[in-house]
Amino acid sequence: RYISVTGVQTCALPIFLEEFSEKYPGTSLTHESLFLQAIALKGQGEVKHAIILLEQLLEEHPTSRFLDEARLTLGNMYTQIQEPRRAIAILKNALNLSSNPNTHREARHILRLAYEQKGDFAQAIQIALQEINLASDEDRPDLLAYIQGLILQKMDEQALSNLVDKFPQAFPGD
């Protein structure tokens, strides 16, 4: 089997990595093999199979150096397949268990999208407000526009009322 850099024969990569994991179980490279196999499968559009492998990585290798990236990738994939509740749980774990500021930034971004997908616009706005506090001056206008877009385009009267109740001191769209 050949692994082509140009992508012509990339289908061999997941097979090679799966065989490696089976042939050398328990090695220090097993977690790396699982992660790479999941990424390769995701690239081939086999998202559900990739999710299984990333879940396996999180469960079987709790000290892997790939945990942050695995959680972010998993949260992103759950959002892609319209499972925001699962994405939210994974991304909250990423925020709670990682000390990496880049992981936190990316997790908040995906988490905001998952809450929006779930229809919990007030929570999406709260996450965006957290992002604004940490964002650079050039990123703040985009986040403010995102918040305004949610308020003006996606929220109904009841959701707006809930938003005012959640933020009684300052309405995020002001």
Side-chain angles (χ1 to χ4, degrees), residues 44-56:
Q44 294 176 349
E46 294 186 43
V47 174
K48 290 186 180 187
H49 192 184
I51 285 173
I52 292 167
L53 293 176
L54 289 174
E55 292 280 6
Q56 181 182 349

Side-chain angles (χ1 to χ4, degrees), residues 1-157:
R1 297 187 187 137
Y2 297 96
I3 300 170
S4 171
V5 177
T6 62
V8 175
Q9 296 173 329
T10 55
C11 62
L13 183 59
I15 295 167
F16 169 77
L17 292 168
E18 183 177 5
E19 288 175 357
F20 176 84
S21 293
E22 291 171 0
K23 190 172 183 179
Y24 303 104
T27 68
S28 62
L29 296 176
T30 304
H31 63 106
E32 188 170 349
S33 176
L34 283 171
F35 180 74
L36 294 173
Q37 186 179 355
I39 297 303
L41 288 167
K42 177 186 176 214
Q44 294 176 349
E46 294 186 43
V47 174
K48 290 186 180 187
H49 192 184
I51 285 173
I52 292 167
L53 293 176
L54 289 174
E55 292 280 6
Q56 181 182 349
L57 171 67
L58 294 178
E59 184 179 320
E60 294 178 4
H61 303 279
T63 60
S64 171
R65 64 186 170 113
F66 294 101
L67 291 181
D68 285 357
E69 191 64 31
R71 286 187 183 105
L72 293 174
T73 303
L74 196 53
N76 197 14
M77 285 192 291
Y78 276 133
T79 303
Q80 287 177 348
I81 64 168
Q82 306 293 315
E83 292 197 33
R85 291 182 198 282
R86 286 185 167 179
I88 290 166
I90 292 290
L91 295 165
K92 283 183 173 181
N93 278 340
L95 288 170
N96 291 331
L97 299 174
S98 177
S99 60
N100 184 326
N102 292 328
T103 298
H104 282 229
R105 187 183 72 248
E106 185 65 22
R108 279 190 196 92
H109 173 76
I110 302 167
L111 189 58
R112 172 171 42 97
L113 300 176
Y115 277 119
E116 180 182 351
Q117 190 178 76
K118 183 181 169 197
D120 190 345
F121 302 120
Q123 195 64 33
I125 288 171
Q126 185 169 354
I127 298 293
L129 289 171
Q130 291 172 5
E131 286 181 277
I132 285 174
N133 291 333
L134 302 170
S136 67
D137 289 341
E138 63 186 45
D139 290 337
R140 285 189 184 111
D142 291 338
L143 289 164
L144 288 171
Y146 170 80
I147 291 169
Q148 287 177 338
L150 285 180
I151 291 169
L152 296 174
Q153 297 171 8
K154 295 204 175 186
M155 297 179 80
D156 60 16
E157 192 173 321

